[in-house]
Amino acid sequence: MTDPYSWLETKLTAIARAGWYRQPQYRPDLADFGSNDYLGLAHHRALQAAAIAAIQQYGTGATGSRLVTGHLPLHGELEQAIAHWQGTAGALVFGSGYLANVGVLGALLGPPDLVVADAYNHNSLQMGARLSGATVWVYPHGDWQAVAAYLAQHRRRYRRWALVTDSVFSMDGDLAPLRELLALTAEHEGMAIIDEAHGTGVFGDRGQGLVQHLGITAPLVHIGTLSKALGSFGGYVAGSTALISYLQNRAPTWIYTTGLDPAATAAARAALAILHQEPERGDRLWQNVALFRTLAQHHDLPTAPIQSPIVVVPLSSSAQALHTAAALAAQGYYAP
Ligand SMILES: *Cc1c(COP(=O)(O)O)cnc(C)c1O
């Protein structure tokens, strides 16, 4: 008899040999150069106090789907605060940013439709596009001219279409050409699904994201996360009343899952208040970006052009990256 699970060991060996093997680690002793806690809110006393108070009032779990027993007044308060902050009619919070992306794409698009997606989109957008059943056309990273050419030729074959992109790319830290892309969605009557996971709390005068920073007011499906700069956990969608109601009735990753837990909901609500009360946290982030840029130049550290707090230092291989991370850890820096 052969062990039906023995292939796992074989695969793991191959992963390790290719220099891709990783394991979770906990290194609070190191200076953080790797987390998404851009504003240092995950340890903010106001978030902690809000989370504790919410647990004491509502318990540790939401206990059900929002459409059944899992809806709390806290959810409504957070959603109103997000809508107010984003200047939209409504907002909806999801169990994570990943779930928001998968749910939105699945709800808004189907087999007769077209998804036009950047090659460097986050995995959750890629999976959402695939699960929607729509035709997915992936354009070379940032190449809006390619999008223009493709739409001119192919748009008419599909019922609906959506442009789908990160605003700030999670691995390369560069920015999507949103002005050009959103001019194309306007011209070709497409939906724009913009993932601001790394723009939230980072760009915009109160951390609303790159879209707001660029002064773009086009109607769009704005997705963000509560899990990064907002120091909590969860995802959100901001948009029109019709969009929000539709998602509440058609997004499976919102309907068939338990409501966001009280602690995360309350912490996120507190984080939004901090964005308004302590805007200096955003200023400090950009000062750190500028300092890093200056020091990198001073030390001839080769970096890709720095456009966001995500800085790319090109290395020759994944094995080299793991080796460099270990060397940095030995010197007190956490960049896993
Ligand atoms: C992190 C990330 C997500 C997922 O957000 P979570 O709240 O961590 O699930 C989605 N999109 C992008 C671009 C991200 O970087």
mmCIF file of all heavy atoms in Angstrom, residues 191-207:
data_model
loop_
_atom_site.group_PDB
_atom_site.id
_atom_site.type_symbol
_atom_site.label_atom_id
_atom_site.label_comp_id
_atom_site.label_asym_id
_atom_site.label_seq_id
_atom_site.Cartn_x
_atom_site.Cartn_y
_atom_site.Cartn_z
ATOM 1 N N MET A 191 -17.355 49.082 -15.284
ATOM 2 C CA MET A 191 -17.249 49.280 -13.840
ATOM 3 C C MET A 191 -15.759 49.355 -13.496
ATOM 4 O O MET A 191 -14.922 48.781 -14.195
ATOM 5 C CB MET A 191 -17.898 48.105 -13.101
ATOM 6 C CG MET A 191 -19.391 47.980 -13.395
ATOM 7 S SD MET A 191 -20.171 46.621 -12.478
ATOM 8 C CE MET A 191 -19.643 45.196 -13.430
ATOM 9 N N ALA A 192 -15.458 50.050 -12.407
ATOM 10 C CA ALA A 192 -14.066 50.130 -11.957
ATOM 11 C C ALA A 192 -14.012 49.567 -10.543
ATOM 12 O O ALA A 192 -14.622 50.110 -9.627
ATOM 13 C CB ALA A 192 -13.586 51.566 -11.982
ATOM 14 N N ILE A 193 -13.295 48.457 -10.389
ATOM 15 C CA ILE A 193 -13.152 47.825 -9.076
ATOM 16 C C ILE A 193 -11.714 48.065 -8.633
ATOM 17 O O ILE A 193 -10.771 47.498 -9.198
ATOM 18 C CB ILE A 193 -13.489 46.316 -9.168
ATOM 19 C CG1 ILE A 193 -14.944 46.151 -9.640
ATOM 20 C CG2 ILE A 193 -13.243 45.632 -7.831
ATOM 21 C CD1 ILE A 193 -15.368 44.710 -9.879
ATOM 22 N N ILE A 194 -11.565 48.977 -7.665
ATOM 23 C CA ILE A 194 -10.232 49.419 -7.276
ATOM 24 C C ILE A 194 -9.940 48.947 -5.855
ATOM 25 O O ILE A 194 -10.677 49.257 -4.916
ATOM 26 C CB ILE A 194 -10.121 50.968 -7.333
ATOM 27 C CG1 ILE A 194 -10.638 51.509 -8.673
ATOM 28 C CG2 ILE A 194 -8.686 51.409 -7.041
ATOM 29 C CD1 ILE A 194 -9.826 51.104 -9.884
ATOM 30 N N ASP A 195 -8.850 48.213 -5.707
ATOM 31 C CA ASP A 195 -8.456 47.653 -4.421
ATOM 32 C C ASP A 195 -7.429 48.574 -3.766
ATOM 33 O O ASP A 195 -6.275 48.631 -4.173
ATOM 34 C CB ASP A 195 -7.880 46.246 -4.652
ATOM 35 C CG ASP A 195 -7.421 45.584 -3.355
ATOM 36 O OD1 ASP A 195 -7.442 46.239 -2.302
ATOM 37 O OD2 ASP A 195 -7.026 44.404 -3.422
ATOM 38 N N GLU A 196 -7.876 49.279 -2.741
ATOM 39 C CA GLU A 196 -7.031 50.267 -2.056
ATOM 40 C C GLU A 196 -6.361 49.693 -0.799
ATOM 41 O O GLU A 196 -6.033 50.446 0.124
ATOM 42 C CB GLU A 196 -7.879 51.485 -1.667
ATOM 43 C CG GLU A 196 -8.330 52.338 -2.843
ATOM 44 C CD GLU A 196 -7.379 53.500 -3.127
ATOM 45 O OE1 GLU A 196 -6.170 53.393 -2.830
ATOM 46 O OE2 GLU A 196 -7.869 54.516 -3.652
ATOM 47 N N ALA A 197 -6.154 48.375 -0.758
ATOM 48 C CA ALA A 197 -5.605 47.761 0.469
ATOM 49 C C ALA A 197 -4.368 48.495 0.985
ATOM 50 O O ALA A 197 -4.240 48.733 2.185
ATOM 51 C CB ALA A 197 -5.290 46.289 0.229
ATOM 52 N N HIS A 198 -3.457 48.855 0.063
ATOM 53 C CA HIS A 198 -2.233 49.543 0.499
ATOM 54 C C HIS A 198 -2.315 51.054 0.301
ATOM 55 O O HIS A 198 -1.353 51.766 0.578
ATOM 56 C CB HIS A 198 -1.011 48.977 -0.222
ATOM 57 C CG HIS A 198 -0.658 47.607 0.238
ATOM 58 N ND1 HIS A 198 0.078 47.361 1.372
ATOM 59 C CD2 HIS A 198 -0.987 46.388 -0.265
ATOM 60 C CE1 HIS A 198 0.208 46.060 1.537
ATOM 61 N NE2 HIS A 198 -0.437 45.451 0.570
ATOM 62 N N GLY A 199 -3.458 51.544 -0.174
ATOM 63 C CA GLY A 199 -3.652 52.990 -0.285
ATOM 64 C C GLY A 199 -4.357 53.530 0.958
ATOM 65 O O GLY A 199 -4.137 54.667 1.375
ATOM 66 N N THR A 200 -5.187 52.667 1.567
ATOM 67 C CA THR A 200 -5.938 53.039 2.764
ATOM 68 C C THR A 200 -5.000 53.453 3.897
ATOM 69 O O THR A 200 -4.064 52.727 4.232
ATOM 70 C CB THR A 200 -6.783 51.833 3.240
ATOM 71 O OG1 THR A 200 -7.587 51.375 2.163
ATOM 72 C CG2 THR A 200 -7.679 52.222 4.402
ATOM 73 N N GLY A 201 -5.255 54.635 4.461
ATOM 74 C CA GLY A 201 -4.435 55.108 5.585
ATOM 75 C C GLY A 201 -3.100 55.684 5.150
ATOM 76 O O GLY A 201 -2.371 56.241 5.955
ATOM 77 N N VAL A 202 -2.775 55.531 3.860
ATOM 78 C CA VAL A 202 -1.453 55.904 3.354
ATOM 79 C C VAL A 202 -1.556 57.127 2.433
ATOM 80 O O VAL A 202 -0.791 58.077 2.563
ATOM 81 C CB VAL A 202 -0.825 54.703 2.612
ATOM 82 C CG1 VAL A 202 0.453 55.103 1.897
ATOM 83 C CG2 VAL A 202 -0.556 53.560 3.603
ATOM 84 N N PHE A 203 -2.497 57.092 1.486
ATOM 85 C CA PHE A 203 -2.719 58.205 0.549
ATOM 86 C C PHE A 203 -4.038 58.918 0.889
ATOM 87 O O PHE A 203 -4.928 58.315 1.493
ATOM 88 C CB PHE A 203 -2.790 57.689 -0.890
ATOM 89 C CG PHE A 203 -1.453 57.321 -1.461
ATOM 90 C CD1 PHE A 203 -1.011 56.001 -1.458
ATOM 91 C CD2 PHE A 203 -0.618 58.295 -2.001
ATOM 92 C CE1 PHE A 203 0.229 55.664 -1.986
ATOM 93 C CE2 PHE A 203 0.623 57.970 -2.529
ATOM 94 C CZ PHE A 203 1.047 56.654 -2.521
ATOM 95 N N GLY A 204 -4.135 60.171 0.433
ATOM 96 C CA GLY A 204 -5.360 60.941 0.675
ATOM 97 C C GLY A 204 -5.210 61.784 1.927
ATOM 98 O O GLY A 204 -4.419 61.448 2.805
ATOM 99 N N ASP A 205 -5.991 62.878 2.024
ATOM 100 C CA ASP A 205 -5.732 63.762 3.171
ATOM 101 C C ASP A 205 -6.164 63.168 4.499
ATOM 102 O O ASP A 205 -5.642 63.563 5.543
ATOM 103 C CB ASP A 205 -6.278 65.187 2.938
ATOM 104 C CG ASP A 205 -7.693 65.197 2.438
ATOM 105 O OD1 ASP A 205 -8.607 64.857 3.220
ATOM 106 O OD2 ASP A 205 -7.892 65.529 1.266
ATOM 107 N N ARG A 206 -7.088 62.210 4.513
ATOM 108 C CA ARG A 206 -7.376 61.460 5.741
ATOM 109 C C ARG A 206 -7.267 59.963 5.474
ATOM 110 O O ARG A 206 -8.044 59.175 5.996
ATOM 111 C CB ARG A 206 -8.774 61.803 6.271
ATOM 112 C CG ARG A 206 -8.909 63.187 6.870
ATOM 113 C CD ARG A 206 -8.132 63.315 8.192
ATOM 114 N NE ARG A 206 -8.254 64.634 8.772
ATOM 115 C CZ ARG A 206 -7.439 65.665 8.475
ATOM 116 N NH1 ARG A 206 -6.457 65.520 7.614
ATOM 117 N NH2 ARG A 206 -7.599 66.828 9.062
ATOM 118 N N GLY A 207 -6.301 59.605 4.650
ATOM 119 C CA GLY A 207 -6.059 58.184 4.413
ATOM 120 C C GLY A 207 -7.123 57.490 3.582
ATOM 121 O O GLY A 207 -7.239 56.260 3.616
#
